[in-house]
Amino acid sequence: MNTKVHKAFLTAGLSLLLTAQMWGYAYAGATTNSIAAWLPGTIPMQIKLGTGTVTLRDGTNYSTSVQEAMNTWNAQLGTVQFAPVMVQQSSTTDPDHTISEIVFNSTVEGTPFGAGVLAITLSYTRPSIHQRTESDIFFNIAFTWDSYRGTLLQTPIDIRRVALHELGHVLGLTHPNDVGQTVTA
């Protein structure tokens, strides 16, 4: 049975920090013996954000912007690679927790987002073998989303930059400042 191991909160105020160069990292898990990793290979992620007729500032749509964030990570990864799968737009995730998904929603599995929370990543593992089995990313529909390069704006929120951050949580990274490092997440 899978268990929730990580909730990654990203507030609107912290979104301004996403453009800074960051060198620190920390693995989700109390000790190196408890780190849950993906098996080598691909991490299929169903992108359920829809393609529709919405064209964002940089010429992408919500789904292709998140796919570009995955490609950015893939260029840096070795034994694992994100495998984006474009599917029909939906705000629901798999109740059996067997499929990694990315959705827009007003809640996280029925729990409201906290004030100012842009996105949350929930990850599931098989604790007995330290294997990560699924991660879902929930983008808060209460915010105005776009995708653009250049100077970070307060509004609209750049979905690609937030996706880059949340995909780090999918890989097993947490906020370095939460574990005593001086790098600001």
Side-chain angles (χ1 to χ4, degrees):
M1 175 164 261
N2 294 333
T3 56
K4 293 180 189 175
V5 295
H6 182 71
K7 290 185 180 180
F9 295 93
L10 179 65
T11 64
L14 291 177
S15 68
L16 291 175
L17 301 171
L18 289 175
T19 58
Q21 183 78 19
M22 292 184 276
W23 297 101
Y25 64 91
Y27 292 110
T31 68
T32 55
N33 292 333
S34 68
I35 295 169
W38 291 97
L39 291 176
T42 60
I43 303 170
M45 303 268 323
Q46 288 190 359
I47 303 174
K48 296 180 163 185
L49 304 176
T51 54
T53 59
V54 176
T55 301
L56 306 175
R57 288 185 202 190
D58 62 6
T60 64
N61 59 55
Y62 297 122
S63 294
T64 56
S65 186
V66 169
Q67 181 179 18
E68 285 184 12
M70 288 183 185
N71 292 338
T72 299
W73 270 109
N74 284 345
Q76 305 302 314
L77 297 173
T79 60
V80 297
Q81 293 282 297
F82 286 113
V85 180
M86 304 293 194
V87 296
Q88 183 176 356
Q89 183 174 357
S90 176
S91 62
T92 61
T93 56
D94 173 42
D96 295 328
H97 301 299
T98 57
I99 301 168
S100 295
E101 298 160 294
I102 302 172
V103 298
F104 279 121
N105 206 315
S106 61
T107 68
V108 179
E109 294 183 343
T111 302
F113 283 91
V117 176
L118 297 174
I120 292 179
T121 296
L122 296 181
S123 292
Y124 302 86
T125 66
R126 291 191 185 132
S128 61
I129 58 173
H130 304 292
Q131 178 187 341
R132 193 169 290 253
T133 58
E134 176 195 354
S135 290
D136 297 323
I137 299 173
F138 297 82
F139 287 99
N140 189 344
I141 62 169
F143 290 91
T144 302
W145 295 93
D146 204 336
S147 185
Y148 54 90
R149 304 293 58 86
T151 304
L152 185 64
L153 306 172
Q154 287 277 345
T155 187
I157 307 296
D158 184 357
I159 194 166
R160 184 173 175 271
R161 293 177 211 210
V162 176
L164 281 167
H165 178 98
E166 294 302 321
L167 289 165
H169 295 309
V170 170
L171 293 170
L173 301 176
T174 189
H175 301 132
N177 53 311
D178 289 346
V179 292
Q181 295 183 24
T182 58
V183 175
T184 303

